[in-house]
Amino acid sequence: MSLDIQSLDIQCEELSDARWAELLPLLQQCQVVRLDDCGLTEARCKDISSALRVNPALAELNLRSNELGDVGVHCVLQGLQTPSCKIQKLSLQNCCLTGAGCGVLSSTLRTLPTLQELHLSDNLLGDAGLQLLCEGLLDPQCRLEKLQAKPDFKELTVSNNDINEAGVRVLCQGLKDSPCQLEALKLESCGVTSDNCRDLCGIVASKASLRELALGSNKLGDVGMAELCPGLLHPSSRLRTLWIWECGITAKGCGDLCRVLRAKESLKELSLAGNELGDEGARLLCETLLEPGCQLESLWVKSCSFTAACCSHFSSVLAQNRFLLELQISNNRLEDAGVRELCQGLGQPGSVLRVLWLADCDVSDSSCSSLAATLLANHSLRELDLSNNCLGDAGILQLVESVRQPGCLLEQLVLYDIYWSEEMEDRLQALEKDKPSLRVIS
């Protein structure tokens, strides 16, 4: 729990009646109230409503991950219906809100001119609920900056809602017709299809303000990537972040995406995690990462069916690329041979990588001599994750001997789900004590 005179911030705490009685006076005076996953239900909402009515200082209210339901949310919103209310940010993610509760929420948007952000992810709003919200958003009194259809609207997050192909098409048409300066569009797990990618292509091409596009966990496939890429290649596109994890993309779709990477220096963050790219996809990506027009800084390719055969390509990238700072390549069968290849690249003087995830890559103790030598030779790497690999005392000891040296600049070594002896545990604890700049996380 975090508490000062301006803020009440509690997370993941079941609040007893006595504890609740202690907190109620604070709800009446704090500028920021965050009660995240605190077991709140409809019954507590009457108390919250009464407290909010007498709190003119309230600027932010976060009740996410509490089972408030439509009735509870209605009750909370009634507490905000006072002339003195100046709330700017309201978070009701995962609060069991349904479409039936959106009518009251829509009315609230009309009567709270100070409200700038409204967060509603992970609620079963349905088509009817979204329509009600849009009616409120279109009201001239609504000043919301983070939702839909306003000239100053900048972010739209509809993730984890089954709006499906028809809903995405209507949404894209609305965005295309809107003068809003959209900066972030998040449609993860929304039933987006390959046919929708033509609609999304139009949004990416027409919204020069768009910086982030999140489409993870949708069935886009290679056909969808082919439809989307012309929008990404449009001269006005300045996208910085593209999340297309678990989208059914293969090496073929990866080839289309590589055209974008070569042409767009603005693209800095890319997640392709959970796509069956294979070693051929890895080769295409790595060849592109060596092109001067590609300035990607963060690449997530976890669970992409890579093997040791592709690691020579990644090694070249690690040795020669001057922009890539973060590589998430966990849960690929790289094995010891592949990791040794990566170490050759990391050991080169020009390597700039700062974060490397190698969790669950079938790595054993026999790789640790190469990793240990690399940690001394490399001066850019700050975080290394080797979690869930078959390492034992012998391998960990080699890493410890390198990490303890003053010349090793590693700041975080992550070793979840690795088992060692009590003696090795003592060594690790002593290492952290002797080198305060280092954290060993296990």
Side-chain angles (χ1 to χ4, degrees):
M1 182 188 81
S2 174
L3 174 64
D4 58 40
I5 194 168
Q6 303 292 332
S7 174
L8 172 65
D9 193 341
I10 302 177
Q11 300 179 23
C12 303
E13 179 183 335
E14 289 290 331
L15 303 176
S16 66
D17 290 345
R19 178 76 167 123
W20 185 242
E22 292 177 0
L23 296 177
L24 282 177
L26 300 175
L27 266 66
Q28 299 176 11
Q29 55 185 295
C30 288
Q31 289 185 359
V32 176
V33 175
R34 301 189 185 107
L35 300 174
D36 187 346
D37 194 11
C38 289
L40 302 180
T41 62
E42 178 185 322
R44 297 282 198 209
C45 291
K46 291 184 178 180
D47 292 335
I48 296 173
S49 181
S50 297
L52 298 181
R53 286 180 182 277
V54 294
N55 184 357
L58 185 70
E60 177 181 342
L61 177 62
N62 184 340
L63 298 175
R64 63 182 295 169
S65 297
N66 290 290
E67 295 183 359
L68 308 184
D70 294 333
V71 175
V73 169
H74 184 187
C75 192
V76 170
L77 295 176
Q78 285 181 323
L80 301 174
Q81 302 298 312
T82 63
S84 61
C85 180
K86 300 294 187 293
I87 190 168
Q88 298 175 15
K89 181 176 180 179
L90 177 60
S91 299
L92 296 169
Q93 298 104 309
N94 192 25
C95 284
C96 301
L97 182 66
T98 72
C102 288
V104 175
L105 197 53
S106 179
S107 299
T108 301
L109 295 176
R110 297 183 175 96
T111 57
L112 289 178
T114 59
L115 189 64
Q116 297 175 2
E117 293 186 33
L118 176 61
H119 299 265
L120 296 171
S121 297
D122 301 317
N123 288 296
L124 298 175
L125 306 183
D127 294 343
L130 287 174
Q131 182 175 347
L132 288 169
L133 283 176
C134 289
E135 290 174 2
L137 287 163
L138 290 168
D139 191 278
Q141 294 300 314
C142 178
R143 295 291 182 268
L144 210 62
E145 293 181 356
K146 290 192 176 181
L147 213 50
Q148 187 185 9
K150 303 302 290 184
D152 54 355
F153 171 59
K154 296 181 180 180
E155 179 177 331
L156 176 60
T157 301
V158 195
S159 298
N160 304 312
N161 284 289
D162 293 328
I163 60 175
N164 297 317
E165 184 176 315
V168 173
R169 182 162 293 122
V170 171
L171 183 63
C172 287
Q173 186 60 52
L175 289 171
K176 191 174 181 180
D177 295 340
S178 169
C180 67
Q181 297 298 303
L182 191 68
E183 295 179 2
L185 177 59
K186 302 177 183 180
L187 296 171
E188 294 171 318
S189 301
C190 281
V192 183
T193 68
S194 58
D195 286 343
N196 286 137
C197 288
R198 185 174 299 178
D199 305 309
L200 290 166
C201 175
I203 297 300
V204 174
S206 64
K207 296 291 183 185
S209 57
L210 191 66
R211 296 293 179 267
E212 180 177 354
L213 179 61
L215 299 172
S217 192
N218 288 296
K219 296 179 180 179
L220 310 184
D222 296 334
V223 173
M225 285 308 303
E227 292 282 2
L228 181 62
C229 283
L232 298 171
L233 286 166
H234 194 276
S236 67
S237 174
R238 294 291 182 272
L239 201 71
R240 176 183 174 83
T241 301
L242 178 61
W243 296 108
I244 43 176
W245 50 271
E246 294 182 16
C247 285
I249 301 167
T250 70
K252 182 179 179 181
C254 195
D256 288 319
L257 184 60
C258 286
R259 292 190 295 119
V260 177
L261 290 172
R262 285 192 291 269
K264 290 295 184 178
E265 294 181 359
S266 61
L267 191 58
K268 304 298 184 185
E269 300 177 359
L270 172 65
S271 174
L272 285 162
N275 289 294
E276 296 282 336
L277 306 182
D279 291 336
E280 174 62 14
R283 181 187 68 79
L284 293 170
L285 279 173
C286 289
E287 288 178 355
T288 302
L289 285 164
L290 293 174
E291 295 281 341
C294 179
Q295 297 187 10
L296 202 67
E297 296 175 0
S298 175
L299 175 62
W300 286 51
V301 281
K302 178 181 179 180
S303 307
C304 286
S305 301
F306 296 160
T307 71
C310 74
C311 288
S312 60
H313 301 298
F314 277 107
S315 181
S316 297
V317 170
L318 296 177
Q320 301 175 46
N321 183 288
R322 296 296 177 266
F323 298 98
L324 192 66
L325 304 177
E326 185 176 272
L327 177 61
Q328 167 55 288
I329 198 170
S330 297
N331 200 30
N332 289 290
R333 297 192 64 184
L334 307 185
E335 302 177 321
D336 295 320
V339 170
R340 283 192 285 268
E341 288 272 12
L342 296 181
C343 286
Q344 289 184 15
L346 283 169
Q348 298 304 308
S351 180
V352 299
L353 196 77
R354 293 182 64 85
V355 182
L356 176 62
W357 285 279
L358 289 170
D360 199 14
C361 285
D362 290 346
V363 181
S364 73
D365 286 344
S366 62
S367 297
C368 289
S369 59
S370 297
L371 285 166
T374 299
L375 290 174
L376 289 176
N378 181 284
H379 298 297
S380 64
L381 199 65
R382 295 296 183 268
E383 180 176 342
L384 175 62
D385 188 344
L386 294 170
S387 299
N388 201 29
N389 283 297
C390 299
L391 306 182
D393 279 18
I396 299 296
L397 180 60
Q398 293 181 78
L399 297 175
V400 167
E401 290 303 316
S402 286
V403 171
R404 72 186 308 156
Q405 301 300 318
C408 178
L409 301 179
L410 196 71
E411 296 173 355
Q412 189 159 291
L413 179 60
V414 185
L415 300 171
Y416 285 121
D417 296 320
I418 294 177
Y419 304 98
W420 48 74
S421 65
E422 290 186 11
E423 180 182 355
M424 182 54 62
E425 178 66 23
D426 292 340
R427 283 179 177 267
L428 290 170
Q429 290 182 5
L431 173 64
E432 285 192 285
K433 184 177 180 180
D434 295 341
K435 197 168 185 180
S437 63
L438 176 71
R439 291 181 64 210
V440 179
I441 301 176
S442 63

